[in-house]
């Protein structure tokens, strides 16, 4: 294995030599430097793994040197050494990216431990980076990372724009780093030693405009004069008061004309949202568009392959900032964050990672540190969209065939599996027509369609398996998908669907937040031609399906006290009726059963918050949402299991104490009935 290379920076020769001896004995390769400048040269030429640096060094001071070193190689680890009385500075150094500091005089043991820890941290960081195919580049601005075509095009455009003197129009959504791009164009150009003057157009009022931008402005106040030789950046041009926009057009036209005449030299850069200039005064946009160069900044959701690199970079950045040693990032983090829509783009992603790093325990960063529910909302800050959007959807009564539907966007939900108790998440994504409802393993991507032929076990919950992938407890999400008539959707998941609060409410909200999109294909509901009976209706448990024009369930539950006999009749109308009547009903269990389940290793995720626990004489843990909540939950389960048919079924179901076993049998019987040769229908009265 290659020796790790360490640079020792100290102005005292005996310290340099002592450290060199100790570290060389330990098998490191050691170089020494007496000051910041020579350290920086060594970092650039020798690519060390670690720098041991004294806080007090001649020339550029310790903190300044640290910043330069980290700038030259963001992956280098720096350990600061400080004497008494310099602890404050040393602590500050960790904020600027030093791995740690040690106080002189230090023990050999402590020194070696700290060095080993720092090298391990670097190794972990580099390994994580390799795992996402990201090669550390120079210290180029982290806003412009990425290897996607869009990212490369943007990087090239910035470099090309910097070389020229023409105005630059930066167009793109919020959060893409338009201000950084403007800065970078300035810093890369030969104007870098002249001023970069920024004008926030949102804050510019008429008086300020008159004083600072009009031809009448005094040279001491004129932004054009202040920016002489440099760059004048108009940020958020679309936010400039409409009355001022034509006046800015005049000012700029005069500026360009004068520049042609006497070579007065201020580079104009502007930023706005819509590349077609929507929201801008026509004359202003035309002037800029004709004289300048337009750089379109592509939204993050259209360059999702860049997301892991950003996540990496931000994790490193904030781990340093908050002093967390994060050695590993769970691959699910990359998968999941790559699926989100990021309406706030890189800025939003950065904020999300910062929050997660703050919440994260030391060691591994996992999805649980992310506030995914709020991230999944496609319009952050906006009121969550409620039922109105779907309440107007056509119902089954609209006709014999329905349009197939999928989701408008991908969304994520996080929770815990009821039976496995492990953390699990769920990502819903749109699928093309006729794809159906498909589950996929979140890590391997292996897929299993939500169809009866893949049902493996129904003892306590409905489980799908195709040999490569097993997915448990799918009935609640299936129930919501059925009721919102989502025909095609990909559900990436751990090995068990998250239980949430034990009901289907969160799944309903998720579907509503994603929005539904009608597709160019039809779905034909299943119509029964005969009554199907599963079980013994006289004694129960039993499930009976009779031909009908709409879906309904009449469920009778009979348990010992405190539940007793309960009944509920549900007729499907719109997703709204489902959401009000059925979706909130939670999973329930009897105390004795739970004990047995726990002993069998099941129901490990059953917390008091995600299900209704029934004791010998009363419900133990929660007020019921309906007096007959358990009965309604049974209907919820039945709706979910029936969706293994892959399309709506128009029938009147009568259920007596039935459960997953009868539900699945019913699905099999209906499937068999459909596969039988067509019966003679003439006598069936049009059914
Ligand atoms: Zn259930």
């Amino acid at each position: 294995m290659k020796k790790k290379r360490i640079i020792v920076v100290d102005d005292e020769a005996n310290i340099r030599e002592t450290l060199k001896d100790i570290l060389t004995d330990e098998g490191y390769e050691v170089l020494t430097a007496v000051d910041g400048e020579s350290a920086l040269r060594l970092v650039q030429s020798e690519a060390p793994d670690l720098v041991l640096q004294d806080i007090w060094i001649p020339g550029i001071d310790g903190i300044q040197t640290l910043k330069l070193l980290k700038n030259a190689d963001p992956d280098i680890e720096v350990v600061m050494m400080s004497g008494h009385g310099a602890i404050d500075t040393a602590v500050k150094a960790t904020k600027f990216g030093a791995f740690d500091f040690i106080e002189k005089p230090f023990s050999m043991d402590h020194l070696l431990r700290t060095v080993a820890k720092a090298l391990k941290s670097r190794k972990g960081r580099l390994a994580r980076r390799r795992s996402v195919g990201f090669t550390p580049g120079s210290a180029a601005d982290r806003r412009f990372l990425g290897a996607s075509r869009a990212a490369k095009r943007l990087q090239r455009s910035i470099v090309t724009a910097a070389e020229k003197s023409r105005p630059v129009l930066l167009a793109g959504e919020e959060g893409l780093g338009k201000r950084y791009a403007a800065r970078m164009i300035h810093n890369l150009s030969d104007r870098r030693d002249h001023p970069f003057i920024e004008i926030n157009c949102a804050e510019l009022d008429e008086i300020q405009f008159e004083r600072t931008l009009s031809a009448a402005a005094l040279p001491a106040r004129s932004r054009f004069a202040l920016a002489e030789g440099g760059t004048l950046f108009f940020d958020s041009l679309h936010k400039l008061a409409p009355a001022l926009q034509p006046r800015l057009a005049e000012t700029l036209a005069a500026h360009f004309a004068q520049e042609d005449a006497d070579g007065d030299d201020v580079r104009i850069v502007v930023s706005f949202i819509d590349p077609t200039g929507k929201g801008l005064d026509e004359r202003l946009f035309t002037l800029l568009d004709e004289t300048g160069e337009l750089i379109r900044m592509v939204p993050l959701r259209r360059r999702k392959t860049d997301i892991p690199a950003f996540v990496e970079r931000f994790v490193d950045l904030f781990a340093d900032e908050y002093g967390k040693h994060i050695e590993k990032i769970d691959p699910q983090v990359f998968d999941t964050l790559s699926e989100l829509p990021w309406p706030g783009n890189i800025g939003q992603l950065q904020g999300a990672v910062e929050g997660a790093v703050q919440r994260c325990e030391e060691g591994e960063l996992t999805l649980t540190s992310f506030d995914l529910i709020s991230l999944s909302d496609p319009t952050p800050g906006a009121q969550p969209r409620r039922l109105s959007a779907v309440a107007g959807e056509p119902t089954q009564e609209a006709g014999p065939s329905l349009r197939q539907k999928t989701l408008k966007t991908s969304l994520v939900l996080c929770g815990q599996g009821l039976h496995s108790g492990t953390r699990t998440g769920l990502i819903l994504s749109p699928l093309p027509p006729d794809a159906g409802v498909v589950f996929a393993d979140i890590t391997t991507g292996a897929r299993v369609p939500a169809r009866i032929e893949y049902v493996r076990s129904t003892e306590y919950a409905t489980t799908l398996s195709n040999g490569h992938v097993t997915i448990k407890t799918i009935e609640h999400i299936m129930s919501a998908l059925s009721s919102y008539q989502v025909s095609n959707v990909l559900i990436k998941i751990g090995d068990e669907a998250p239980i949430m609060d034990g009901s289907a409410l969160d799944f309903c909200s998720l579907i509503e937040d994603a929005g539904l999109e009608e597709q160019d294909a039809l779905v034909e509901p299943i119509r029964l031609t005969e009554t199907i009976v599963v079980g013994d209706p006289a004694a129960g448990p039993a499930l009976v399906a009779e031909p009908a024009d709409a879906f309904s369930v009449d469920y009778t539950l009979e348990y010992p006290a405190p539940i007793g006999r309960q009944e509920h009749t549900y007729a499907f109308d719109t997703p709204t009726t489902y959401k009000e009547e059925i979706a909130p009903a939670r999973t329930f269990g009897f105390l004795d059963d739970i004990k047995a389940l726990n002993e069998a290793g099941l129901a490990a995720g059953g917390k008091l918050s995600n299900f209704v626990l029934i004791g010998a004489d009363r419900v133990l843990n929660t007020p019921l949402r309906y007096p007959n909540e358990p009965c309604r939950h049974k209907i919820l389960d039945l709706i979910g299991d029936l969706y293994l048919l892959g399309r709506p079924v128009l029938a009147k179901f009568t259920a007596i104490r039935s459960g997953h076993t009868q539900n699945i049998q019913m699905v099999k019987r209906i499937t068999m009935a459909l596969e039988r040769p067509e019966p003679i229908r003439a006598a069936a009265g049009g059914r």
Side-chain angles (χ1 to χ4, degrees):
M1 208 170 103
K2 202 176 129 253
K3 279 189 180 178
K4 296 285 179 226
R5 189 174 289 174
I6 299 176
I7 296 180
V8 175
V9 193
D10 204 307
D11 57 335
E12 284 184 59
N14 60 340
I15 293 198
R16 282 200 307 273
E17 292 315 310
T18 311
L19 287 175
K20 185 172 178 176
D21 285 352
I22 295 172
L23 293 167
T24 308
D25 277 355
E26 287 297 313
Y28 299 113
E29 185 184 336
V30 183
L31 304 161
T32 58
V34 292
D35 59 19
E37 271 163 65
S38 44
L40 184 60
R41 273 197 302 277
L42 278 181
V43 163
Q44 282 160 342
S45 62
E46 304 300 327
D49 300 281
L50 181 128
V51 175
L52 256 177
Q53 187 208 316
D54 192 53
I55 289 255
W56 302 116
I57 44 177
I60 352 169
D61 78 45
I63 296 285
Q64 221 38 51
T65 303
L66 167 68
K67 285 187 190 167
L68 289 170
L69 297 180
K70 289 296 264 188
N71 194 47
D73 178 0
D75 289 317
I76 201 167
E77 293 295 3
V78 181
V79 172
M80 307 297 279
M81 300 179 285
S82 78
H84 269 314
I87 292 298
D88 285 354
T89 318
V91 172
K92 192 168 141 205
T94 59
K95 292 209 168 68
F96 289 112
F99 176 79
D100 206 346
F101 61 88
I102 45 181
E103 201 181 340
K104 286 181 192 170
F106 41 76
S107 76
M108 207 170 98
D109 261 12
H110 183 59
L111 169 77
L112 293 175
R113 264 202 316 276
T114 308
V115 165
K117 251 170 44 191
L119 288 170
K120 195 174 154 211
S121 152
R122 171 176 154 90
K123 194 176 155 198
R125 177 173 12 206
L126 295 178
R128 274 185 271 122
R129 179 149 308 150
R130 271 195 302 280
S131 72
V132 293
F134 175 67
T135 343
S138 67
D141 197 306
R142 55 182 67 90
R143 290 263 165 174
F144 302 103
L145 288 174
S148 67
R149 290 229 309 265
K152 293 214 164 119
R153 205 178 309 127
L154 176 63
Q155 291 151 7
R156 272 200 308 273
S157 307
I158 286 176
V159 174
T160 319
E163 288 164 359
K164 300 179 191 163
S165 226
R166 297 172 63 186
V168 181
L169 293 69
L170 296 163
E173 294 174 6
E174 298 292 348
L176 285 168
K178 297 189 288 290
R179 278 179 67 212
Y180 292 81
R183 262 275 173 210
M184 207 161 184
I185 289 168
H186 175 78
N187 289 347
L188 289 171
S189 73
D190 50 17
R191 301 163 183 274
R192 69 180 77 86
D193 297 325
H194 296 273
F196 176 87
I197 304 286
E198 185 175 329
I199 294 164
N200 182 349
C201 295
E203 288 169 2
L204 202 61
D205 62 26
E206 177 140 18
I207 296 169
Q208 275 174 316
F209 184 91
E210 205 52 45
R211 275 198 197 140
T212 60
L213 288 168
S214 76
L218 296 171
R221 288 196 183 128
S222 164
R223 294 296 175 257
F224 288 96
L226 288 182
E228 177 70 52
T231 303
L232 186 54
F233 172 48
F234 294 87
D235 194 14
S236 302
L237 195 58
H238 56 284
K239 291 187 182 161
L240 182 64
L244 295 179
Q245 294 202 13
R247 289 169 62 184
L248 181 62
E250 266 168 45
T251 307
L252 288 177
H255 168 74
F256 294 145
Q258 190 190 5
E259 207 167 44
D260 285 346
D262 62 20
D264 169 37
D265 191 22
V266 174
R267 151 67 80 77
I268 304 293
V269 178
V270 302
S271 81
F272 50 91
I273 300 237
D274 192 312
T276 62
K278 208 167 90 190
L280 292 181
D281 175 78
E282 205 186 312
R283 193 178 147 213
L284 176 61
F285 179 69
T286 311
L287 173 74
L288 289 164
D289 195 35
E290 280 171 359
T291 49
E293 196 143 344
L294 178 71
I295 298 181
R296 285 169 194 256
M297 299 177 71
V298 174
L300 194 55
R301 64 182 166 279
R302 281 173 44 208
R303 37 181 289 214
K304 286 184 169 177
T305 51
D306 291 333
I307 290 176
F310 281 111
V311 173
E312 274 289 318
R313 193 58 134 204
F314 293 145
V315 168
D316 285 350
L317 180 75
F318 293 116
D320 283 348
E321 190 164 330
Y322 295 106
K324 300 258 173 125
H325 294 165
I326 296 173
E327 274 153 25
K328 203 167 161 251
I329 301 174
D330 183 346
Q332 276 198 20
V333 169
F334 297 117
D335 289 351
T336 303
L337 297 191
S338 299
E339 296 286 345
L340 291 174
W342 300 113
N345 291 299
I346 300 158
Q348 188 192 11
L349 178 63
Q350 180 173 341
V353 173
E354 179 171 8
V357 168
Q358 278 179 292
R359 282 185 287 268
C360 166
E361 304 287 324
E362 303 276 297
E364 183 174 10
L365 182 71
T366 64
L367 273 184
T368 47
S369 296
F370 286 84
D371 181 9
L372 289 169
I373 304 231
S374 74
L375 289 178
S376 305
D377 191 331
T379 49
Q383 285 297 316
R385 269 173 296 132
R386 287 295 83 161
L387 272 168
S388 55
V390 277
E393 297 287 337
T395 64
Q396 289 183 349
E397 278 74 29
S401 292
L402 298 163
R403 289 288 197 114
Q404 290 187 21
K405 285 180 204 151
T406 191
L407 303 180
K408 283 202 172 112
T409 177
S410 294
L411 284 188
V412 178
L413 192 65
C414 270
Q416 196 178 42
L418 174 62
H419 289 300
S420 60
T422 54
R423 292 194 296 253
T424 172
L426 175 145
I427 306 169
L428 297 184
S429 316
L431 279 183
D434 300 319
V437 175
V438 180
F439 286 84
D441 186 290
I442 208 161
T443 23
T444 64
R447 294 184 176 200
V448 52
R451 299 297 299 257
I452 185 70
E453 43 287 29
Y454 298 98
V455 171
R456 203 186 65 178
S457 132
T458 56
E459 227 171 316
Y460 298 107
T462 303
T463 295
L464 294 176
S465 178
N466 68 357
H468 302 288
V469 48
T470 299
I471 294 176
K472 296 175 207 147
T473 322
I474 60 159
E475 60 271 18
H476 301 169
I477 173 91
M478 287 293 282
S479 181
L481 290 171
S482 168
S483 300
Y484 283 78
Q485 300 176 331
V486 182
S487 339
N488 306 301
V489 64
L490 180 65
I491 305 157
K492 286 194 204 158
I493 212 165
D495 64 353
E496 186 176 4
I499 184 71
M500 310 318 294
D501 69 349
S503 79
L505 269 184
D506 282 319
F507 300 127
C508 294
S509 306
L510 196 64
I511 294 168
E512 286 174 18
D513 287 348
L516 292 173
E517 188 163 277
E518 295 210 331
Q519 296 175 294
D520 257 348
L522 297 177
V523 55
E524 173 102 19
I526 294 167
R527 286 168 181 276
L528 298 187
T529 55
E530 59 191 33
T531 297
I532 298 175
V533 179
V534 168
D536 177 359
L543 182 60
V544 178
E546 296 168 74
D549 286 327
F551 177 86
S552 68
V553 185
D554 188 346
Y555 197 103
T556 306
L557 187 72
E558 255 182 289
Y559 273 116
I563 292 194
R565 189 186 157 90
Q566 299 187 344
E567 277 184 43
H568 190 79
T569 302
Y570 168 69
F572 177 80
D573 179 19
T574 63
T576 317
T577 51
Y578 173 78
K579 194 175 172 183
E580 284 167 3
E581 220 178 290
I582 301 296
R586 291 160 295 176
T587 295
F588 60 98
F590 293 88
L591 189 57
D592 291 345
D593 291 349
I594 301 299
K595 283 184 195 148
L597 284 176
N598 270 327
E599 276 157 24
L602 294 166
K607 286 189 297 197
L608 293 182
S609 59
N610 63 18
F611 83 89
V612 179
L613 186 60
I614 299 159
D617 52 2
R618 64 192 177 93
V619 173
L620 295 173
N621 63 330
T622 169
L624 289 180
R625 291 176 177 170
Y626 315 92
N628 63 351
E629 184 171 349
C631 186
R632 294 182 192 225
H633 186 81
K634 288 291 195 174
I635 296 176
L636 186 157
D637 283 343
L638 173 62
I639 294 170
D641 285 339
L642 287 172
Y643 207 39
L644 291 163
L645 289 163
R647 48 193 170 123
V649 53
L650 304 185
K652 175 182 186 298
F653 290 89
T654 307
I656 301 132
R657 296 192 346 251
S658 59
H660 290 300
T661 309
Q662 289 75 31
N663 299 349
I664 295 303
Q665 248 180 301
M666 175 58 79
V667 172
K668 286 182 181 161
R669 292 280 301 277
I670 294 175
T671 309
M672 276 158 52
L674 292 173
E675 283 164 0
R676 269 204 310 271
E678 282 287 289
I680 296 157
R681 291 197 185 193
R687 179 157 293 154

